[in-house]
Structure formats: structure tokens, C-alpha cells
Amino acid sequence: MLLIHNSRDSFYRNPIGAAPAGSRVRLRLTVKHEVQPDFVRVRTFSVTESWHDMMPIGQLSGAFLYEVNLTMPEKPNWFWYDFRVCVNDCEISYGNAQDKLGGEGQVWASLPPSYQITVYDKNFTTPEWMPNAIVYQILPDRFARTNHVTVLKGRVLHENWNDAPAISSNIKKQYYCSNDYFGGTLKGIEEKLPYLKELGINALYLNPIFFADTNHRYDTHDYHMIDPMLGNLEDFNSLCSKAMAMGMRVILDGVFSHTGVDSKYFVSAMTNPDSPYRNWFKFDDSEIGYSCWWGDPLLPETIEENEDFVDYTLTGKDATIPYWINNGASGWRLDVADELPMPFLRVLRSAAKKADAQACVIGEVWENASCKVTYGEARGYCFGDTLDSVMNYPLRAAMISFLIGAWDSRRTCREILHLYETYPKQFAYSLMNLMGSHDRPRILNALAEVTGEGLTRIEQSKLKIPQTRRDLARQRMKLFFALLCAIPGMPTIYYGDEAGLEGTYDPFCRGTFPWGNEDNDLREFFRGCIQVRRENAVLRTGEFDMLFPTPNVILVIRWIRGGYDALGNEASDSVALCAINGGSSHVSIVLPESALFCDTLIPHGEGEPLTPVDGLYTFCIDAMGYMIWVNR
């Protein structure tokens, strides 16, 4: 007996992907057998388990076809389903594939892993600008400085902008600390806005800018004060104003799971039992004397459920979240969002949207954000009540694995497609699709496979990418970025990646931007990919699919049909095809004409138009090469 269901085929599941609360979803199952089954049922589970009989609706290629229409829960939740078929009193189950990544499933002898439908708030919307954004992440101390830098007591300033980040340690507390500075400022960023505009950037994500004790500033001292080495409120207002005038938004980094040990909040709470901040923290009889973030005594943990903390950061007069939006920010990226209580996130979202309905709330979540287990609790961050979207670390991991040859195209595409299947479209089209970040070795190092894994910081400081590996990594990076510009979400550049910066783990992934020593070829490649994306709406808001015709080739297909894009907005019909070849030899690809819904596609750059012959498209992709075609 052969059973078939494919959660990514609209014939078998319609609509594909996440579903609004209260909506209807049609499921189908094909049963190929000599005799008609005694029964075919679908088992569903949301709040409770239910069984639904599937009705026979005819035959397809000698197989029996069954169908059922289901109503999704009225409230956002997960909705799981699998199938049970009985023939001649013999029952078998059919469910998700072995890897649990959706698509075509398989028969199981026991209770199978279920398919997931993410049921989200039918009123869930995300900022209109996000699907069209190209994001540039900046560690403010390391991007650009001005002539005058205010050096605070206890901080070490590098006179030479091109120095490597220092390896420093706090001998007294026996903890690594980041107290060397290069003097990057908000004014420095402002002066480089023309560079960013020319590159094609329209959103800036700034790592923390508030007063803190380290150069990365993830140990906040004062949520309402710009770090004096970066500038002041006037400088921030000016940056936001001039960026917006040039078509760029500014996104801030919010750190609410902990503060710095020397913050005005914790010092007051530690020394004064009557401090207004006393109840922000949990004091105990341990050797340290208080709860701290991941055991680091330099980062006392906050109690986000505390009413005073919520009032100060979210809901009160001049609360942190609305205060900075009212001063020009276009939203927030939340550090370790998956460690913040869900009620806190819900209130935070409400506070941000009240200040500006178009403000974004992006979370740092390293796994699939549709269903993550945190502290023993399953959490969904895309139901529409907390985050607009997340940093797409699973995409980054999948593409690195593909480009270094650890995964083939099939596994890579399945990992990526599963994300888009389980996310609501508005969430998926707002993903922060990153290659590099401040928390990981530079993407050039990752793709050169020279990350410093297992080495001491001193050993990492001496590590350089050999030229042959660097050349290979550069080409891999081009393929990665070409794909980012072809899939839904916000392509995101970590400052300096486009200029060829390399670096292993923190602090070496946080070097200064190499002004005057940029990799111009790499930068121009980035600029060209961004330009193609910005010139073609289909690459931003078109429907989306991926194919894996050979183990080393990934195809991305985007399309707009019927005058409406994937988000339901009016748009001109168009089709785009992006092909990347991660292998060491050229490959010939053949596709049926029906795969692209059009007659002829025009290549970007060099290449011949793609026209079907006898119902087939045939084209070649060079070794480590890419191509993109668009039908306008």
C-alpha cells in the first residue's frame, strides 16, 4: 500500500503553511491499493486530540483520494495532524518524514511524528517596510569615529584604528572583559550614511548604544543614557533624522534579561534595601549573593515579571521602549528574546506598537521560532502577540553547511523550507536573514573553515585565513549573499563583511571597519545583488519555493501571479529564478516549462535569456557560480 501526503503541495494541503485562527484548511491523502480502505482518518491535536473521518472524493492514477476540511482553533496555537488508514482490518499510520521537516511524509508502524500548522492571530500584521528592507548591523565602537573622542575613566582607547581587538582580562574578578575601545561614534555612523545608501541599505541595526561598562555594551548601566563615548541624545536624534531623510531606519538593541553589575540600578539595589530597583533583582544566600545571567556575576539577572521593572522599561512615563521610538528609533531587536517571559514580550510589543504602529520587534531566537522549548515550556513566537520576526540563525547554519560541503542541497532546502512552512508569511517575509553577527566568527572565516574552534583567545589572535582558503570563502560568500537577496526576508549584512573583514570568535569577529582597505570586488558584488532585489518586487514579496535538482545546486523560484503578491498586496505579475552551484564543476539543469509559469526570463548581468524549448528550460551553472533571471 502506498500513501502520499505533501504538506508543501497545495493539492494535498490548502492553504500551505501557517493559518489564521478560525480559518479552514483542506487536507488530502492518496491511498494506492488494490481495494478501497475500510476507513481513512486524520488525527489532530491542538488543545485536545480529535479524530476526523476523511471522505473519498474519487480516484487519481489508480489510487483512492481522500479529503477532509478542518477548522483551525479560534485562538493562536499549534495544530498537529497525521493519518490512520485501515485495509482489511490492518491499520497503518502516516505522518511527517523521519527528519520532521514537512513535505512528503512516510508510513509509520507506530504513532508517527505529526505535521505542524502554526495557527496565528488573524489580525497579526508586521511593519510594511520590513519585507523591503536591507539591514546593516553595526557594532558602534567599531564602525567609524570622528576626530574627537571622549575617553572615560577605566577605558583604553586604541590610537590606531587598524589595531586588532585586545585580549584583556579582569584579574580582580577573573572574568574576560571588553574594556578596549576604538572610538566609534554615532556621528561617525552619520558621516558614513552616504556609503550605506550607495550600498543599498535602508535599515540600520545598532548593537547596544546605552551607557555600559564594556565596548559591546550588553551590560547596560542606564537604559535612558547614550554611552558618552558614542555621543548623546542630540547625536542620536540627528542620526535618526538624517538616516530617515536618506530612506534608512534605525533599529536599537534592547537587553532586558540582565543589567551590568555596576549599573545604577543594581548598585542602588545592592546597597539600599529601600531602593526602587531592589525588586528588579533576586538576592540569595549563594556565594555571589544574587541570580546572574548564565552564571556571570558581572551580569545580574532581572526579574522581568516585576511590576516596577515593567513600568520602567515598558509602560510607565518615559519607559525605555517607547522613549527611544519617540526619539527616532524604528523599533527594537531583543537580546535573548527566548529567555524573556512571554507576558513581558506581549506587553513590550504593545508598548512599541502604541508608540509607532510601524515599529518593529525582532527577537534573538537561534532555533525555529514557531515552536521552541524554553525552560521546559513550548513557546511560539510567531502567533502575532509577541515578535514581528526573528534573526534567522537556522538559515545561516544551513547555508554554511551546504557551502562547505557538509550538507547536500536536498537537506539544506528541506531545513529552509520547513522554516517558511511553519512561519506566517508576514513573519517569514520580515526575517532578519543574516550571514554574520557579533556572536559568531566572521562569515568569511566560517566559509573558509578557519574559525578558531577549540583554540585559546591568544591562539585565535594569531590565526589568519590562508589566501587559497580566503579566495574560496569569498566565492562561497557571494553565493550565500546572492541567495539571501533571492528569498523572503531582510538580507542582513554584519558591518565589514562586504569589505572582506575576517575574524574568529569574540572579540576578533568585532574588528574595525577597514576604511581605505576594503575588498572592492566583494563590496560591488553585494551592491549589485541588492540593486537587483530592490529593482524587482518579485524578489521581495513574491511567492517562494526551492528546488534541489542536483546535490550541489539550489534553485530559488519567486513569482507573482494574478495581480497580487504573497502578502496580498497589489503587484505586477513577474517570475524570477536564482540558481547557485556550490560544487566544483559546472552543471546542466533541465526544468519543465510549468516550473516557472512564463515564456522567457532575462538574465541579470552576463548570460542568455532563458526560453523553453519543447516544454523544457535548459541552462548551465558554472562551478561555484550563480545566475539570476527575471521575467518582467
Side-chain angles (χ1 to χ4, degrees):
M1 180 167 27
L2 176 66
L3 306 181
I4 301 174
H5 174 78
N6 188 335
S7 62
R8 289 196 278 272
D9 183 337
S10 60
F11 178 81
Y12 286 101
R13 179 163 130 188
N14 191 25
I16 299 169
S23 64
R24 298 277 283 175
V25 174
R26 185 194 69 206
L27 301 178
R28 286 175 174 168
L29 182 73
T30 295
V31 181
K32 194 166 187 177
H33 195 261
E34 296 83 4
V35 298
Q36 188 165 352
D38 302 328
F39 66 76
V40 177
R41 292 172 181 156
V42 60
R43 182 181 72 99
T44 65
F45 184 85
S46 184
V47 177
T48 59
E49 181 184 79
S50 299
W51 288 90
H52 309 266
D53 289 324
M54 299 186 75
M55 298 294 105
I57 61 171
Q59 289 186 276
L60 179 69
S61 301
F64 300 99
L65 184 62
Y66 286 78
E67 179 180 291
V68 66
N69 287 279
L70 301 173
T71 300
M72 296 297 102
E74 291 297 328
K75 294 182 179 180
N77 208 330
W78 302 280
F79 187 89
W80 308 92
Y81 70 92
D82 52 62
F83 304 93
R84 186 73 55 85
V85 177
C86 179
V87 177
N88 296 330
D89 295 326
C90 178
E91 294 188 16
I92 60 172
S93 296
Y94 185 94
N96 208 334
Q98 185 78 40
D99 59 12
K100 303 179 183 178
L101 295 176
E104 192 166 328
Q106 67 183 68
V107 170
W108 292 83
S110 57
L111 191 67
S114 301
Y115 286 99
Q116 174 185 337
I117 298 178
T118 302
V119 180
Y120 62 91
D121 187 332
K122 62 185 177 182
N123 297 315
F124 177 33
T125 61
T126 56
E128 296 173 0
W129 55 269
M130 292 183 77
N132 299 303
I134 309 289
V135 180
Y136 196 85
Q137 178 186 349
I138 295 175
L139 192 69
D141 182 61
R142 307 295 164 85
F143 186 61
R145 67 180 175 188
T146 46
N147 292 330
H148 178 70
V149 178
T150 302
V151 183
L152 301 186
K153 182 179 178 181
R155 299 185 179 186
V156 178
L157 179 68
H158 291 264
E159 294 296 332
N160 183 356
W161 177 257
N162 297 315
D163 281 351
I167 306 172
S168 54
S169 64
N170 186 328
I171 303 300
K172 180 179 178 181
K173 297 179 180 178
Q174 291 297 302
Y175 277 84
Y176 168 75
C177 67
S178 307
N179 64 349
D180 65 313
Y181 292 76
F182 286 84
T185 63
L186 298 182
K187 278 296 181 187
I189 297 172
E190 183 180 311
E191 290 176 1
K192 296 298 183 181
L193 289 178
Y195 167 83
L196 297 169
K197 183 174 179 62
E198 182 183 12
L199 187 59
I201 303 302
N202 54 17
L204 307 180
Y205 154 43
L206 306 184
N207 288 107
I209 62 173
F210 307 125
F211 185 37
D213 206 31
T214 60
N215 52 42
H216 54 73
R217 300 183 173 91
Y218 279 92
D219 51 338
T220 311
H221 279 203
D222 189 335
Y223 286 116
H224 290 80
M225 178 182 178
I226 303 289
D227 192 291
M229 283 191 70
L230 292 178
N232 53 36
L233 178 59
E234 183 180 351
D235 295 329
F236 178 75
N237 294 151
S238 177
L239 171 61
C240 292
S241 176
K242 292 185 178 178
M244 187 63 79
M246 298 175 71
M248 285 178 262
R249 297 173 180 270
V250 175
I251 303 166
L252 293 180
D253 204 332
V255 186
F256 299 108
S257 63
H258 54 270
T259 69
V261 71
D262 294 323
S263 70
K264 73 175 189 180
Y265 315 111
F266 187 71
V267 170
S268 173
M270 191 76 169
T271 58
N272 180 9
D274 297 322
S275 167
Y277 312 120
R278 180 75 179 184
N279 293 329
W280 287 21
F281 306 96
K282 183 178 180 180
F283 295 98
D284 53 39
D285 296 328
S286 66
E287 182 179 351
I288 297 173
Y290 52 88
S291 294
C292 48
W293 187 75
W294 285 86
D296 187 344
L298 299 180
L299 301 174
E301 203 168 37
T302 58
I303 302 174
E304 296 89 355
E305 298 92 335
N306 177 261
E307 291 183 6
D308 293 333
F309 184 76
V310 170
D311 182 75
Y312 188 94
T313 56
L314 307 182
T315 59
K317 185 177 183 299
D318 292 330
T320 306
I321 289 293
Y323 176 82
W324 290 105
I325 292 175
N326 293 333
N327 272 286
S330 289
W332 291 84
R333 174 266 189 190
L334 303 177
D335 187 55
V336 293
D338 53 355
E339 297 183 17
L340 298 172
M342 297 299 276
F344 182 83
L345 288 176
R346 294 185 183 105
V347 177
L348 188 153
R349 177 182 180 82
S350 177
K353 302 299 182 179
K354 184 177 180 181
D356 180 359
Q358 287 296 305
C360 68
V361 181
I362 302 168
E364 180 192 14
V365 180
W366 286 62
E367 299 82 12
N368 185 318
S370 69
C371 185
K372 181 186 175 181
V373 177
T374 302
Y375 301 118
E377 172 192 14
R379 297 182 179 184
Y381 295 99
C382 53
F383 291 151
D385 59 343
T386 55
L387 306 176
D388 286 317
S389 202
V390 292
M391 301 176 77
N392 201 350
Y393 277 102
L395 169 69
R396 176 185 184 272
M399 283 305 299
I400 290 174
S401 295
F402 170 69
L403 290 167
I404 67 174
W407 290 4
D408 65 10
S409 61
R410 180 183 184 276
R411 179 176 178 184
T412 304
C413 289
R414 284 185 58 74
E415 292 279 352
I416 296 171
L417 287 170
H418 182 61
L419 295 172
Y420 286 91
E421 180 182 341
T422 54
Y423 291 161
K425 281 185 176 177
Q426 55 269 54
F427 187 98
Y429 281 62
S430 301
L431 285 164
M432 186 179 279
N433 289 336
L434 67 156
M435 295 192 303
S437 84
H438 60 285
D439 282 326
R440 280 292 178 263
R442 285 276 173 179
I443 188 59
L444 203 62
N445 289 70
L447 295 175
E449 300 175 74
V450 182
T451 62
E453 182 78 34
L455 301 181
T456 66
R457 281 194 170 98
I458 292 177
E459 291 169 331
Q460 289 183 50
S461 70
K462 302 173 183 177
L463 197 61
K464 298 295 180 185
I465 302 175
Q467 190 59 49
T468 54
R469 301 297 301 175
R470 184 179 175 89
D471 292 342
L472 176 61
R474 287 178 72 259
Q475 192 58 32
R476 287 171 170 173
M477 193 196 299
K478 288 181 177 181
L479 300 185
F480 196 158
F481 193 68
L483 181 128
L484 285 193
C485 289
I487 66 175
M490 305 185 293
T492 301
I493 301 170
Y494 181 45
Y495 79 99
D497 278 349
E498 84 284 9
L501 267 187
E502 62 179 82
T504 55
Y505 287 90
D506 170 27
F508 308 110
C509 59
R510 302 175 181 180
T512 55
F513 190 97
W515 298 109
N517 296 295
E518 301 96 324
D519 185 329
N520 293 326
D521 173 72
L522 198 55
R523 183 190 62 207
E524 285 305 300
F525 181 86
F526 276 56
R527 190 184 67 79
C529 288
I530 292 170
Q531 182 177 346
V532 173
R533 182 179 175 88
R534 294 190 67 169
E535 290 176 351
N536 294 279
V538 67
L539 293 174
R540 305 191 304 273
T541 60
E543 298 284 359
F544 164 68
D545 198 5
M546 301 178 81
L547 302 177
F548 35 92
T550 76
N552 292 320
V553 172
I554 290 176
L555 303 181
V556 174
I557 302 174
R558 306 295 303 274
W559 69 93
I560 296 173
R561 284 186 293 176
Y564 291 90
D565 65 16
L567 299 174
N569 301 314
E570 290 188 7
S572 299
D573 287 8
S574 183
V575 176
L577 170 67
C578 176
I580 67 170
N581 178 9
S584 57
S585 59
H586 79 277
V587 179
S588 180
I589 304 296
V590 178
L591 286 178
E593 185 176 358
S594 59
L596 299 179
F597 324 109
C598 68
D599 294 327
T600 301
L601 293 104
I602 307 302
H604 166 65
E606 298 180 359
E608 297 295 324
L610 197 55
T611 303
V613 177
D614 296 329
L616 299 174
Y617 294 97
T618 302
F619 56 93
C620 290
I621 303 296
D622 291 338
M624 296 300 297
Y626 96 105
M627 278 293 297
I628 185 166
W629 296 266
V630 179
N631 168 266
R632 297 181 178 87

